[in-house]
Amino acid sequence: MVIKVFLASSSGSTAIKKKQQDVVGFLEALKVDYTQLDIACNEENRMWMRQNVPVDKKPTNGIPLPPQIFNEDSYCGDYDTFFDAKEDNSVYAFLGLPPPPGSKEAEQAAKVLGVENGTPAEEPKADGSVDASAEVPVEERNGDAHGEEEQAADEEEVEGEGEGGEEEDVADEETAGDEALAEEEEEAVEETDEVTEQANAQEEDEQEEADEDRDEEEEEEEEEEEDMEETQEEEAE
């Protein structure tokens, strides 16, 4: 199976160039075999890409923009769906490829499969019996262990009666230590709240910047679409 990435080598849109570089760079990092097909210099590639992108995946004007990704003749998606798959650690599933052993995606798939199949039941021994010790309490398996524990507890209680005064002093010290620990925990909670507020403010600023960048990219894409439509009309004439 060959992954096909349709690109525009001479695109004037900075946003499209960044998206193309992101897709190609990530595939190379994963060492995925792929082929680049240029739609700017090859009219056959351009027409094949447009004809094979599903209708429900095309933009409102009906002209899909690069990068577009295929597995052989099967459509995988555009940059947005590729980015979502990358964020979810599901790029191999997006590409229609099996994840390599040891990868995060393979581990996630194994976990999902285990949940769907349920927890495996206890396997029987070679003679067909099941080890009942896993369900039998430790006291019953060890015979008189429970009785010995009770006897030891009684002896400790007798010894403790002679050391009552010392235990009270220790209890007072522990109480004082608990109060100091509680004060430290309150201070730590207050510091954590301050850090959380700062982090939230920073995230809001970053989100605003990301929204502004997305708006600029959308404007550039619209301009690119208009340029391509004008080019097609000129070619048609």
Side-chain angles (χ1 to χ4, degrees):
M1 294 182 290
V2 178
I3 302 301
K4 300 178 181 178
V5 182
F6 286 85
L7 310 173
S9 59
S10 60
S11 174
S13 170
T14 303
I16 290 179
K17 288 180 179 179
K18 288 175 59 178
K19 292 177 179 179
Q20 293 177 163
Q21 292 173 356
D22 189 12
V23 172
V24 171
F26 197 76
L27 293 179
E28 290 179 350
L30 294 180
K31 297 182 179 180
V32 173
D33 292 333
Y34 70 96
T35 299
Q36 297 186 33
L37 300 173
D38 191 1
I39 66 172
C41 301
N42 190 312
E43 184 65 21
E44 183 178 352
N45 290 339
R46 182 200 300 267
M47 297 304 298
W48 192 96
M49 182 193 77
R50 292 183 178 180
Q51 292 173 358
N52 287 274
V53 172
V55 176
D56 58 334
K57 302 297 183 181
K58 292 181 179 181
T60 54
N61 64 0
I63 302 176
L65 296 176
Q68 298 290 335
I69 306 167
F70 291 79
N71 183 335
E72 295 289 355
D73 295 339
S74 299
Y75 182 67
C76 298
D78 58 5
Y79 175 79
D80 291 335
T81 51
F82 170 82
F83 180 82
D84 292 339
K86 185 172 68 170
E87 292 294 309
D88 296 337
N89 289 323
S90 59
V91 172
Y92 286 98
F94 167 81
L95 297 173
L97 300 175
S103 64
K104 291 183 179 180
E105 189 168 343
E107 293 175 358
Q108 290 179 352
K111 290 180 181 179
V112 172
L113 182 61
V115 171
E116 292 177 351
N117 294 338
T119 303
E122 184 178 358
E123 296 182 358
K125 296 181 178 179
D127 58 0
S129 63
V130 176
D131 185 5
S133 62
E135 300 179 357
V136 177
V138 175
E139 293 81 0
E140 295 182 11
R141 296 204 306 269
N142 294 340
D144 296 334
H146 185 64
E148 292 176 358
E149 291 177 357
E150 290 182 347
Q151 182 177 357
D154 293 339
E155 293 175 357
E156 290 177 359
E157 183 176 356
V158 172
E159 293 177 359
E161 291 177 356
E163 301 174 354
E166 295 179 359
E167 292 179 356
E168 290 178 356
D169 294 338
V170 172
D172 292 338
E173 293 177 358
E174 291 179 352
T175 300
D178 292 340
E179 292 176 354
L181 180 61
E183 292 177 357
E184 293 178 357
E185 290 178 350
E186 291 178 356
E187 293 177 357
V189 169
E190 293 176 355
E191 293 178 357
T192 302
D193 292 340
E194 293 178 359
V195 172
T196 301
E197 292 176 357
Q198 294 176 357
N200 290 337
Q202 184 177 359
E203 289 179 356
E204 291 177 356
D205 293 338
E206 292 176 352
Q207 183 61 42
E208 291 177 358
E209 293 179 359
D211 292 340
E212 293 176 358
D213 292 340
R214 182 178 291 275
D215 292 338
E216 292 178 0
E217 291 180 359
E218 290 177 353
E219 292 177 0
E220 291 179 354
E221 290 178 359
E222 291 176 358
E223 293 176 359
E224 178 69 10
E225 291 175 3
E226 294 175 357
D227 293 340
M228 293 180 68
E229 288 177 356
E230 293 177 0
T231 301
Q232 291 175 359
E233 292 176 356
E234 293 176 359
E235 292 177 355
E237 293 176 356

